[in-house]
Amino acid sequence: MGHTQRDVTINQRDRVELNLSADVLATVRTRAFGVYVHVPFCATRCGYCDFNTYTAGELGSSASPDSWLEGFKREIAAAGKIFSDSDCSRPADTIFVGGGTPSLIGAHMLGEVVSTIRTTFGLAPNAEVTTESNPESTSAEFFSDLKGAGFTRVSLGMQSAAEHVLKTLDRTHTPGCAVDAAREARAAGFDHINLDLIYGTPGERTRDLDASLDAVLEAGVDHVSAYALIVEEGTALARNVRKGIVPSPDDDVLAERYEHIDRRLSKAGLTWYEVSNWSSGGQAECHHNRGYWNGDNWWGAGPGAHSHIGGVRWWNTKHPARYAQQLEGGDLPVAGVEFLTPAEQHVEGIMLAVRMRDGLDLTALSERELHAANSCVTDGLATVVGSRMILTKRGRLLADGVVRRIVSAT
């Protein structure tokens, strides 16, 4: 990547350097731009979760929502200066507030998040503004205040409608809570609402999954994300599996569950557009996540957040106290950075495009990659529409294998 006189270099006291060339920053003007905001607070720690989250007991007095917000504002101000100094400022097309549990900090503080981004970058017309929420920390007033603060979309962590499944996952909300929250969000004027499901939890039966899908469809949401349970190392669930307290998720069961979910959601008019995501149409898709999958640009603010601008990827210090301290001292809280080569960007583009219903552009592949892609079609894992390869349902179950086959030919 070329560097010019208008390169932006930020030297960190911990010796991590972020160097964004003018060529890199210029891509902000030519590609979609989003802002991801990580809220690292949770009321309790779920046994399956390995996200960068902290309970009040774990943090003690070292960090708080107030210190986090002050750090966030400083980080966004620094990002805004980098963009303005390089004449590449542009409004954000999307905002996504994730966590953690963003709803724990309340609608007023979430409103400050949006206001800070709007003041610094501006918001594009019809910008998508999403926050994740746990249903037990929401209310009708909360959703009304969110709507007034400029949020356009809500994503609710439902996971399951079966009480024993929620217990295995260490979720604290009761069955039905997420559906009630979705209704309150709809009543507050939200047209776009997502419910998250986790399938394949040890002890989950087909009737439990059906109860969850019944609840999702009854809620009338326009988007569903459904993820197979993954046992992540270092989690309480992993320790329980290792000790034999609960069995490891079964791959055959996970495949059956996925097909069952797809059948029911498709019949109800929710169509897959990414392997784990279904929506009622283009407007209902998560455009912020599409930015990730399309290789667009985003600034990730908050402890542990990841960013990507023009092939440069970096990630922040994880601990909220250290994050705030670095920003208070005048540093960006960068913990690591990598400059992706064109070859690496090509491979990542394949990995992401394969998972999308839009499919993989075959004209962008090398001869060897194209041969591998055609072998996936021959094996019934994909089909070709125009110049694009799109996964079949069987291919979606084996998406990682399809990716490995193609990128191994790179």
Side-chain angles (χ1 to χ4, degrees), residues 37 39 41 97-106 110 131-134 142:
V37 182
V39 179
F41 308 111
V97 186
T101 310
S103 46
L104 273 183
I105 68 175
L110 288 170
T131 185
E132 294 179 337
S133 301
N134 278 359
F142 170 81

Side-chain angles (χ1 to χ4, degrees), residues 388-404:
R388 308 191 78 86
M389 186 196 83
I390 300 171
L391 294 179
T392 60
K393 185 178 291 188
R394 179 166 170 262
R396 280 186 270 159
L397 293 172
L398 301 170
D400 290 345
V402 172
V403 167
R404 283 194 297 270

Side-chain angles (χ1 to χ4, degrees), residues 301-317:
H306 285 231
S307 301
H308 173 265
I309 303 290
V312 181
R313 181 162 51 220
W314 68 95
W315 49 95
N316 285 349
T317 300

Side-chain angles (χ1 to χ4, degrees), residues 93-288:
D93 299 290
T94 62
I95 299 172
F96 194 105
V97 186
T101 310
S103 46
L104 273 183
I105 68 175
H108 176 74
M109 194 170 283
L110 288 170
E112 286 196 58
V113 167
V114 175
S115 178
T116 299
I117 295 169
R118 181 187 292 114
T119 300
T120 304
F121 298 115
L123 289 181
N126 301 314
E128 177 191 86
V129 184
T130 304
T131 185
E132 294 179 337
S133 301
N134 278 359
E136 68 272 20
S137 56
T138 65
S139 65
E141 182 181 8
F142 170 81
F143 290 119
S144 179
D145 290 344
L146 277 187
K147 188 68 176 174
F151 283 87
T152 65
R153 188 173 180 275
V154 175
S155 181
L156 295 163
M158 175 179 171
Q159 319 317 347
S160 176
E163 187 171 6
H164 69 97
V165 173
L166 293 174
K167 185 176 181 180
T168 299
L169 294 172
D170 291 323
R171 300 290 293 189
T172 59
H173 65 268
T174 57
C177 188
V179 172
D180 290 341
R183 288 172 175 157
E184 289 175 341
R186 182 76 73 194
F190 283 95
D191 294 324
H192 303 306
I193 303 167
N194 170 65
L195 284 173
D196 275 347
L197 293 177
I198 290 178
Y199 61 93
T201 301
E204 179 191 59
R205 301 158 298 193
T206 302
R207 64 174 178 268
D208 297 323
L209 180 60
D210 270 325
S212 298
L213 292 168
D214 288 342
V216 164
L217 298 176
E218 181 186 350
V221 298
D222 64 349
H223 192 285
V224 177
S225 299
Y227 303 103
L229 179 66
I230 298 175
V231 180
E232 302 284 2
E233 282 302 316
T235 63
L237 178 61
R239 290 190 291 273
N240 287 337
V241 168
R242 191 163 52 248
K243 294 175 183 177
I245 297 172
V246 296
S248 181
D250 181 273
D251 287 343
D252 290 336
V253 171
L254 292 176
E256 292 172 2
R257 295 277 190 266
Y258 180 87
E259 291 181 319
H260 190 71
I261 290 167
D262 185 64
R263 278 194 301 270
R264 290 212 52 192
L265 294 181
S266 297
K267 185 177 180 180
L270 295 166
T271 304
W272 80 283
Y273 70 98
E274 191 274 341
V275 168
S276 299
N277 290 272
W278 292 257
S279 78
S280 63
Q283 289 302 310
E285 294 175 4
C286 181
H287 296 279
H288 183 86

